Amino acid sequence: MSLKITINLTEDSKISSFDAENIKFGQVFTDHMFACDYINHEWQNFRIDPFGKIPLSPTLSALHYGQAIFEGMKAVKNTDGVITLFRPLDNLKRLNQSAVRMCMPTLSEEIFMEALHKICSIDKNWIPTKTGSALYIRPFMFATDDFLGVKPSENYSFMVYACPVNAYYTHALKVRVEEHFTRAAKGGVGAAKCAGNYAASMYPTKLAQDLGYDQVLWTDGATHEFFEETGTSNVFVVTDDAVYTPEINDTLLAGITRDSIIQYLKHEGHQVIETKVSVRQVIDWHKQGKIKEMFVSGTAATVTNIELMAYQGQDYTINATDNLLSKQILNFFNNIKTLAAKDPFNWVSIVPSEAVINQ
Ligand code: COI
């Protein structure tokens, strides 16, 4: 790769205070971060710096007008020290789709992959090896113009930081089907991974959490009759004859984990139906004892079961059987990511061991 990256390593590593046995999601960050700037219509100033605060002007346009997008991905290190990424180019594709929707510049494969490889390699000692743990990687882009007024920024920063994590959820979820608030409307930005979508989900999620639920299960904004996704993940319903998941449209985030599950389950001979999933239908299946399992999927959430679904003031317990499909999926993902099993889909991408070259 020919990208010229200035590497400025920390002289004050925090690795000795990192307890890999006791990781709390999103609270510990590795020693370094990648950054570059979009100035005069091109990406430049590629650099690795010690992780730390960045200077911001009060006028920074991302803070006011919301041009801010991000991705979530994970690197895994196996016991031989081999580091892998999972479908990184799909994250890049989605980042660039988000960028187009939010009127932001796109990023090349070279910049994106070099940033990931450098961070993974330089901070490789931060990657936990325990099953289910990983290095969560957060690529993100934001507008940096100093300007008051609504127009696309001319300047942007793209950055990548990382944190060692376990699964986002440590238990099966209690979700509340949301019928009043709406995550996304047709023609809106629901399919973009933009910061504002998460901000908009916080108040309804807080209301659900105040009632003892973990998450909101969004329904479509037009009728509130069909499942969309939760605040952090896509959703699957397993009945005795098929696996159902809401079809992708412009109000839903096209999860890479979601797509991987669909492909894997089809490969294993399951019938997977991407369709409009009606809440009423799911309640009927529940009453008829046809629901075998419900789960959510996401990079952070991995594959997490739903144990209870609240709808119109009534709680429905999802009695998962012992033979959980979600466990099988999780095992498969863990095995291919650590190279313990063959990856029939070519999803796993090995971080080159020569990725750290002082430049
Ligand atoms: C992810 O799954 O990576 C997300 O961005 C969702 C967030 C809950 C961390």
Side-chain angles (χ1 to χ4, degrees), residues 1-105:
M1 296 254 178
S2 59
L3 202 69
K4 180 92 185 117
I5 303 179
T6 304
I7 297 181
N8 175 19
L9 297 181
T10 183
E11 289 176 2
D12 186 22
S13 171
K14 299 171 291 285
I15 190 84
S16 61
S17 60
F18 167 50
D19 178 5
E21 293 305 312
N22 197 8
I23 306 174
K24 296 208 173 67
F25 197 104
Q27 296 186 21
V28 176
F29 306 100
T30 68
D31 279 330
H32 297 94
M33 59 189 188
F34 171 90
C36 60
D37 306 310
Y38 188 80
I39 303 168
N40 293 331
H41 310 287
E42 63 179 1
W43 289 106
Q44 48 192 285
N45 302 336
F46 307 103
R47 58 200 188 272
I48 296 277
D49 282 327
F51 178 87
K53 296 198 189 308
I54 50 174
L56 297 181
S57 164
T59 62
L60 189 95
S61 64
L63 295 178
H64 302 269
Y65 310 113
Q67 277 183 297
I69 57 174
F70 67 95
E71 276 300 313
M73 48 201 306
K74 281 179 176 166
V76 164
K77 186 168 70 177
N78 72 10
T79 44
D80 294 330
V82 180
I83 303 167
T84 64
L85 293 163
F86 189 70
R87 303 184 67 176
L89 293 180
D90 291 294
N91 287 96
L92 173 62
K93 189 171 163 200
R94 192 173 62 185
L95 182 79
N96 282 339
Q97 284 165 349
S98 301
V100 169
R101 180 62 183 87
M102 304 302 285
C103 220
M104 299 166 80

Side-chain angles (χ1 to χ4, degrees), residues 25 70-73 136 138 168-169 193 198 231-232 298-301:
F25 197 104
F70 67 95
E71 276 300 313
M73 48 201 306
Y136 185 91
R138 172 52 59 88
Y168 193 72
Y169 295 115
K193 203 161 171 68
Y198 293 82
T232 54
T299 298

Side-chain angles (χ1 to χ4, degrees), residues 279-296:
V279 188
R280 274 269 143 241
Q281 174 72 86
V282 172
I283 300 291
D284 284 349
W285 284 334
H286 185 274
K287 287 182 181 152
Q288 294 157 16
K290 285 166 81 73
I291 304 234
K292 290 175 83 177
E293 193 176 348
M294 282 178 71
F295 56 83
V296 301

Side-chain angles (χ1 to χ4, degrees), residues 108-135:
S108 71
E109 180 177 331
E110 184 185 30
I111 298 172
F112 189 73
M113 292 307 294
E114 271 293 272
L116 299 178
H117 288 169
K118 283 279 184 291
I119 283 295
C120 288
S121 306
I122 290 174
D123 283 340
K124 62 177 181 299
N125 293 339
W126 289 86
I127 309 179
T129 47
K130 209 161 143 186
T131 307
S133 62
L135 187 73

